[in-house]
Amino acid sequence: MVNSLQNLCMALEPMLRRVVNEEVENSLKRCSSRSFTRSPSLRIQAPESSPSSLQLKFRKNLLLPIFTGSKIVDIDNSSLQILLVETRGDLAVPTSLPHPIKVEILVLDGDFPSDDRKTWTSEEFVNNILKERTGKRPLLAGDCLMVTLRDGIAPIGEIEFTDNSSWIRSRKFRIGARVVSGSSNGVRIHEAITEAFVVKDHRGELYKKHHPPMLDDEVWRLEKIGKDGAFHRKLSAEGINTVQEFLKLSTVDQHRLRRILGPGMSEKTWEVTIKHAKTCELGNKRYILHGQNFSITLNPICQVVSAVIDGQTFSTSDLPRLSKSYIQNLVRQAYANWSSLQEVVGVSSEIALLTQGEQVEEYPNHHSQAKTFHHQIGYSSENRSIEMGEQYNQANSTSANMGYSNWHGAAGINYSISEASSESELTPTSFFNRN
């Protein structure tokens, strides 16, 4: 019986080997066939060059600062725009797709991307999208948070921030733009981001300084003078409420202005404030004080532009020929009765000579004087006439050193009020300087 089984196995062995070999060979052929069908595809793709990169890009930088509740605009004060560009290295060329695509506007952390990288992955972009704080409205508000890009451009309408940026670690936001999934037909388009910026509460805009300030701006619009602060209260108590009133007193009696502000305003702070004030556009209004046989014309900050005395006209360049104390007295009268002066519109191409002039210790009360003046010309304070030519040159040099000589649209000379130039001390003399 055992021998019979052994004989059967020996007879079957060759057949089993053949079957196994055939199956193994068939399996190897099938594997080999699949391998060869994939490899040509791999060999074709490998040498292909990388396709050009498509990227979204904000057309211009943002206009800063940005406040909550205020429309976000570019540096030209126009609505934001997104462009589609094709990038190769550092070159970016505007391009377009044959079909429109949807673009989403988002808020990003100001620290993204780290190390000022210009490239990032989609995952990194998504991870840095900011959401509103708990209990707050969405960070961006507006009806243009989803825009359509056609012919390579997508205009963004009115959008605004609803919250400031102080609550995140970087304290800055960026605005980002990305293609909505599925709208680009499988084409990879790199996201766009703006520069990092701070968003301030809208109440900060109410207190912001104006550059340049306007004559009718409230005086706290000047640098270093805070709204309802100590300097603002001191100035208001003296009736100095506008930039024009600040500049008028600075022109006429700078010492008094400094005393009003008090020792709390250091020399450095004063320089910042007065420099900012003197960037003000003066316009072309002129103010005329009329008297018997004289009239003087001043610009909006009480600088003398011209004078007519006994029928003789003196322009800015001629004014140093006149007695300083005589002109000072007229300026004092004009300053004290500003509301009664004749207002005209004039044109002047001369640059203001921003002289400091002689300052005084006390400022007389002029408000009791009449609003119409009839002074005999040729009266000036005895022993107060000085060589105005020397004063003119020294003061002009001083103003140039202080950086105030380039004052747009102004034409005039400062005449500070002199303590001794009171009406009771006027004595008959020539209104020209005596040699």
XYZ file of all heavy atoms in Angstrom, residues 53-55 106 108 112-114 116-129 176-179 188-193:
263
model
N 3.832 80.234 -12.902
C 2.977 80.337 -11.713
C 1.978 81.479 -11.880
O 2.334 82.587 -12.255
C 3.850 80.574 -10.475
O 3.060 80.803 -9.347
N 0.731 81.196 -11.578
C -0.298 82.234 -11.567
C -0.503 82.697 -10.135
O -0.550 81.888 -9.208
C -1.604 81.692 -12.132
C -1.586 81.319 -13.620
C -2.919 80.740 -14.026
C -1.259 82.528 -14.481
N -0.656 84.000 -9.962
C -0.746 84.539 -8.616
C -1.695 85.735 -8.590
O -1.742 86.537 -9.519
C 0.637 84.981 -8.132
C 0.638 85.598 -6.744
C 2.034 85.970 -6.288
O 3.013 85.536 -6.879
N 2.126 86.767 -5.249
N -10.081 87.975 2.777
C -9.924 87.473 4.138
C -8.999 88.363 4.949
O -8.313 89.238 4.401
C -9.348 86.046 4.103
C -10.112 85.010 3.270
C -9.170 83.914 2.821
C -11.255 84.429 4.070
N -5.715 88.177 7.595
C -4.609 87.303 8.003
C -3.839 87.927 9.151
O -3.861 89.147 9.353
C -3.655 87.053 6.829
C -4.239 86.423 5.574
C -3.207 86.441 4.461
C -4.705 85.004 5.854
N 2.312 86.724 9.347
C 2.400 85.784 8.223
C 2.751 86.540 6.948
O 2.205 87.616 6.691
C 1.073 85.046 8.052
C 1.006 84.193 6.816
C 1.653 82.960 6.771
C 0.312 84.622 5.686
C 1.586 82.183 5.631
C 0.250 83.848 4.547
C 0.890 82.617 4.517
N 3.648 85.997 6.128
C 4.455 84.801 6.353
C 5.695 85.139 7.170
O 6.166 86.277 7.147
C 4.829 84.376 4.941
C 4.879 85.659 4.176
C 3.826 86.557 4.781
N 6.210 84.163 7.859
C 7.395 84.391 8.679
C 8.606 84.643 7.796
O 8.680 84.165 6.653
C 7.657 83.181 9.584
O 7.842 82.005 8.811
N 9.443 87.088 6.172
C 9.157 87.846 4.941
C 9.254 87.004 3.676
O 9.676 87.481 2.613
C 10.101 89.058 4.835
C 9.845 90.073 5.929
O 8.675 90.226 6.315
O 10.818 90.697 6.392
N 8.859 85.754 3.781
C 8.868 84.892 2.596
C 7.823 85.366 1.592
O 6.783 85.903 1.958
C 8.577 83.443 2.989
C 9.701 82.780 3.769
C 9.373 81.323 4.083
N 8.271 81.215 5.042
C 7.098 80.655 4.776
N 6.856 80.158 3.563
N 6.158 80.577 5.699
N 8.097 85.134 0.321
C 7.164 85.510 -0.724
C 6.329 84.332 -1.199
O 5.431 84.499 -2.034
C 7.919 86.128 -1.912
C 8.585 87.458 -1.573
C 9.240 88.072 -2.789
C 9.878 89.419 -2.463
N 10.521 90.041 -3.645
N 6.650 83.145 -0.725
C 5.889 81.959 -1.098
C 5.456 81.221 0.154
O 6.085 81.343 1.212
C 6.735 81.015 -1.978
O 7.913 80.622 -1.258
C 7.142 81.708 -3.278
N 4.383 80.482 0.028
C 3.845 79.701 1.130
C 2.926 78.634 0.545
O 2.540 78.682 -0.636
C 3.062 80.605 2.089
C 2.047 81.447 1.387
C 0.782 81.096 1.008
C 2.240 82.784 0.912
N 0.167 82.122 0.343
C 1.034 83.173 0.276
C 3.291 83.694 0.967
C 0.868 84.422 -0.298
C 3.114 84.933 0.405
C 1.921 85.302 -0.224
N 2.576 77.679 1.364
C 1.657 76.632 0.925
C 0.228 77.060 1.228
O -0.021 77.954 2.040
C 1.953 75.312 1.647
O 1.680 75.474 3.049
C 3.412 74.905 1.464
N -0.710 76.393 0.568
C -2.118 76.681 0.826
C -2.473 76.406 2.277
O -3.264 77.127 2.889
C -3.005 75.838 -0.092
O -2.821 76.208 -1.437
N -1.878 75.361 2.835
C -2.136 75.013 4.219
C -1.644 76.115 5.157
O -2.331 76.480 6.121
C -1.455 73.688 4.559
C -1.736 73.200 5.973
C -1.069 71.878 6.283
O -0.321 71.367 5.417
O -1.288 71.349 7.389
N -0.455 76.672 4.894
C 0.058 77.759 5.725
C -0.847 78.983 5.640
O -1.105 79.658 6.639
C 1.479 78.123 5.272
C 2.523 77.082 5.616
C 3.883 77.412 5.031
O 3.933 78.026 3.939
O 4.897 77.066 5.660
N -1.334 79.263 4.451
C -2.241 80.404 4.266
C -3.507 80.211 5.100
O -3.931 81.116 5.831
C -2.580 80.548 2.783
C -3.422 81.747 2.451
C -2.837 82.960 2.144
C -4.815 81.654 2.439
C -3.618 84.073 1.835
C -5.602 82.752 2.128
C -4.992 83.959 1.825
N -4.102 79.035 5.006
C -5.337 78.748 5.740
C -5.119 78.833 7.242
O -5.952 79.354 7.979
C -5.882 77.362 5.343
C -7.018 76.947 6.262
C -6.340 77.363 3.892
N -3.973 78.346 7.710
C -3.689 78.334 9.147
C -3.539 79.733 9.734
O -3.597 79.896 10.959
C -2.423 77.519 9.434
C -2.635 76.033 9.221
O -3.774 75.549 9.214
N -1.556 75.300 9.017
N -3.320 80.740 8.889
C -3.123 82.104 9.378
C -4.310 83.015 9.114
O -4.219 84.228 9.315
C -1.852 82.699 8.761
C -0.588 82.163 9.396
O -0.158 82.635 10.434
N -0.001 81.147 8.764
N -5.425 82.444 8.677
C -6.653 83.229 8.524
C -7.209 83.541 9.904
O -7.306 82.667 10.763
C -7.687 82.462 7.681
C -7.171 82.283 6.243
C -9.025 83.204 7.676
C -8.083 81.446 5.368
N -5.926 89.358 2.835
C -5.546 88.313 1.889
C -6.648 88.053 0.885
O -7.819 88.399 1.111
N -6.279 87.454 -0.224
C -7.246 87.089 -1.260
C -6.882 85.712 -1.788
O -5.716 85.444 -2.088
C -7.234 88.119 -2.392
N -7.874 84.836 -1.894
C -7.627 83.494 -2.432
C -8.772 83.097 -3.358
O -9.907 83.568 -3.219
C -7.493 82.475 -1.304
C -8.767 82.241 -0.517
C -8.606 81.104 0.478
N -9.816 80.935 1.284
C -9.964 79.992 2.200
N -8.963 79.146 2.441
N -11.088 79.894 2.885
N -8.455 82.203 -4.295
C -9.452 81.704 -5.232
C -10.361 80.722 -4.509
O -9.899 79.856 -3.755
C -8.771 81.031 -6.440
C -9.804 80.384 -7.345
C -7.946 82.051 -7.211
N -3.899 75.958 -10.320
C -3.396 76.441 -9.033
C -3.022 77.919 -9.156
O -2.217 78.307 -10.003
C -2.181 75.611 -8.614
C -1.324 76.216 -7.513
C -2.035 76.264 -6.190
N -1.163 76.771 -5.120
C -1.584 77.505 -4.116
N -2.849 77.833 -4.013
N -0.744 77.910 -3.183
N -3.640 78.768 -8.304
C -3.368 80.206 -8.306
C -2.950 80.607 -6.906
O -3.681 80.392 -5.941
C -4.598 81.005 -8.760
C -5.012 80.591 -10.175
C -4.312 82.497 -8.713
C -6.261 81.294 -10.681
N -1.769 81.189 -6.813
C -1.200 81.573 -5.522
C -1.998 82.725 -4.911
O -2.470 83.618 -5.618
C 0.261 81.999 -5.723
C 1.102 81.872 -4.492
N 1.159 80.731 -3.746
C 1.934 82.758 -3.886
C 1.991 80.908 -2.733
N 2.474 82.131 -2.805
N -2.123 82.723 -3.592
C -2.894 83.751 -2.896
C -2.158 85.100 -2.893
O -0.950 85.174 -3.092
C -3.167 83.327 -1.453
C -3.937 82.029 -1.305
C -3.057 80.789 -1.321
O -1.806 80.935 -1.450
O -3.609 79.684 -1.231
N -2.913 86.163 -2.603
C -2.346 87.514 -2.495
C -2.453 87.994 -1.058
O -3.392 87.635 -0.343
C -3.084 88.483 -3.413
N -1.494 88.790 -0.629
C -1.555 89.417 0.689
C -1.077 90.865 0.579
O -0.269 91.199 -0.279
C -0.706 88.668 1.743
C 0.773 88.669 1.349
C -1.219 87.258 1.960
C 1.689 88.100 2.433
